[in-house]
Amino acid sequence: MTAGQAESDVTDEQHGLTSGDAAAVLARVGPNELPRPPRRPWWRLLVAQLTHFFAVLLWGAAALALLAGMPTLALAIAVIVLLNGVFAYAQEHRADQAAQKLGSLMPADTRVIRDGRTQEVPASQVVPGDVVLLEAGDRVPADGTLLRSEEVAADESMLTGESVPVRKPVGAVVRAATFLVQGSGRAVVTATGARTEVASMAGLIAGAHRPPSPLARELDRLVRIIAVVALTVGIVLGVVSLLLGGTATGALLFAVGVSVALVPEGLLPTVTLSLARGAQRMAESKALVRHLEAVETLGSTTFICTDKTGTLTRNEMTVVELWTPDGRVVPQGVGYEPTGTVSGGPAALRVAAEAAVAARACVTGRAVLQDGIWQPSGDPMEVAIDVVAARLGTDPAEATIHVPFVTERRFSAAVVAGRSYFMGAPERILPSCGEAEGSATEVLDTYADEGRRVVAVARSAGHRRPTTPDELARLLDEPLELLALLAIEDPPRDGVREALESCRTAGIRVAMMTGDNGRTAAAIATEVGLLRPGGVVVEGDRLPTDDTALADLLDDPRGAVVARVTPADKLRIANALRLHGHVVAMTGDGVNDAAALRGADVGVAMGLSGSDVARDAADLVLLDDHFATIVKAIELGRATYANIRRFLTFHLTDNVAELAPFAVWALSGGSIPAAIGVLQILALDIGTDMLPALALGAEPPSRRTMAGPRSEERVASGSVLRRAFLVLGPIEAVTAVAAFLWVLTSGGWGLGETPGTTLLSQASGTAFAVIAVGQVANAFACRSESRPAWRVDPRRNPLVVAAVAVELVLLAGFLGLPWLSETLGGSWPSGEGWLWALGSGFALLLGDRVHKAWRNARRASKRPQEGSAAPTSPPPTS
């Protein structure tokens, strides 16, 4: 319904609609409720977590284990999949609540005029044509047009991102879910429910789909490789078993056992618990993770799109300076507390005090004490004027005549102690101030370049006393005496400049997205260090229509500012930057930010000032609304990424050692028995290796984590695979097979013979011990990608020491408890066998040291020589 159609339905503003008419309209258009998007059934969310590729692979492994006659193993694998699925489901279920929170934006009840009298009705029953009554503090129940306006100002930041309340004269549009910060009025409803502007946000949120995280894509790739390798090796060894004279059933069971053994059952819980540990650390740093994968994704971030108000700034309007013709006055204080200090000459202080008294009489905003804390009540800019007047030591003065500020006039006026005063936009006040206009204009330009809002205060030069508001307003066109220019700013948050510099050092681009005007936004961005000379400043309506051109424009190392940005702009920017190769983090706090938060790689919402919709759409919630917390979260995310590489190396090394005995058996045509069995492999994977892997996932950030751009290497990169498959894994494999053969030959076994049961059991136990002790050494070696194990302080991660101790206890149990060793197939080694195990640990540490030294030298040789103009490569991240 248009405003004209709605107004035509109101036969009398004083009487409003009749109850019968309202009921008829309600039946036709439906209740005034925001649409609830269809929700996925809980069971679908749960099934999705139990049927992704890795889960399906493990289900298959469990089924094969059951077919191979290993029900205990099958049960263990199934429990692992179920626990991870339920945990992930709980996270995803909470994420699905974003659009559902939209309904909480609407008030429960509202006042309307019906049947000629004021009635309070449920907001859901408001219909087009209703006349609603609004006062300061009320949330608007529906879109409408103002029929009356008594100094109405509305906070529309949740829809527009504009931090300053908007004045609403008669005929202006008020929007559902916004609220009045001052004044009172009446509005005729023009749109309800799904037809309101806030409802369009639901469509943006529903249409914004979170992309798969870099970690999810990497794990999917790795798991597919592992699945192919496990199945291929299993089939090949099954065929070899058949060719060597084994039965078809035996060959099948052997192939199944080998395939199941090569699937890293411990990888999924290790990844999940490592991310959970990272999330816990972020929570300790005031960053609440809502989706576990966001821990690693945040560490992968290469571009941050940040809001201005409340994120980079405090969202506290403050008068930072008063310029008078007699000099400058600088007040200082904390927040909205009226106490503070003031500096300036006596003459300037006297004039500034008079200007502050007059300005406070012209406004209605006040700082009020609530629960021991000074809070703003009304327009934040007006509150700032009230606060600075108090800091200047002035007493409140009542206006005998008052002319309120309206957008069309751009000034307000008051008569105080018989003198007429005016306050408003400088371009409206200064033309009547004679010679003072010239010098004030220069100051005004300086303030504008600094991103400060300015109001001018002047008094009537004559002594004529007006008797009505109209007479007072007309005095503005007569000569005035300029008293002061008040420079007002929303100060930057402490630590923002340092946080932005850390982002720049870490190779992370930052762009400001704001609903404010470009000049103010650019000044703030420059002040905090986000925007450097030559950086990009662009209005939202002038963004390139081509996504590639858009990304090229904003991807500027000198910083970028997008002003007057719309919700659709933010979502499009996030998508364009992602297509440009960036991992995008989007910050926000309002309803207008929710779609972009959901569509970015990682959404970061404000916990103190943000809306429920924004928080529920985000992956990360800043509990202190501090931009610097994002930098800390990125550091922890990078550390988590490095930790995943650590325990992945640890797991893959073990897999090489586990595969080698079967390869030797196959290549020897069965002449050499398999050094370890399937159950021993599973004991290594799920028993001895699990805790050290988890401890590696808790490694704290190093000092070099934020020293440069994050490595572009994948989680399962070539360096990780080479280290595991060509260095650490072969050392474990060779020592395990060598120890196995040494025990056999020492016991009188010959090639091609069948060893005795006791001898084979002791040899197999020795090989098992060699691999387990090698993994103990590997746990320490994997703590760093560049330094030898003995140069990494064990006190930085005591969990590794504790995990290794438990691993050794488990090793003793697996080999020393008769019933357990008989089940697994390996007995307690001899003294020489334990020396082989210790030797494998030393051999692995030595080989790791040599490999790291070679790799460090190779990296150093690739760096530009001293004096070269080329940039140096960033140091390793761990």
Side-chain angles (χ1 to χ4, degrees), residues 405-441:
F405 181 94
V406 293
T407 304
E408 292 78 10
R409 282 197 298 255
R410 292 184 297 165
F411 76 91
S412 57
V415 174
V416 180
R419 196 70 185 262
S420 300
Y421 293 93
F422 300 85
M423 183 192 76
E427 58 270 24
R428 187 71 178 88
I429 303 294
L430 293 180
S432 300
C433 294
E435 296 180 357
E437 181 181 5
S439 56
T441 299

Side-chain angles (χ1 to χ4, degrees), residues 97 147 155 210 222 242 248 276 298 401 482 563 606 646 712 815 835 843:
Q97 303 299 310
L147 303 175
D155 183 342
R210 183 173 289 108
L222 176 62
L242 195 61
L298 192 63
I401 302 176
L482 180 65
M606 304 300 111
R646 289 186 177 101
E712 295 296 326
L815 295 175
L835 288 177

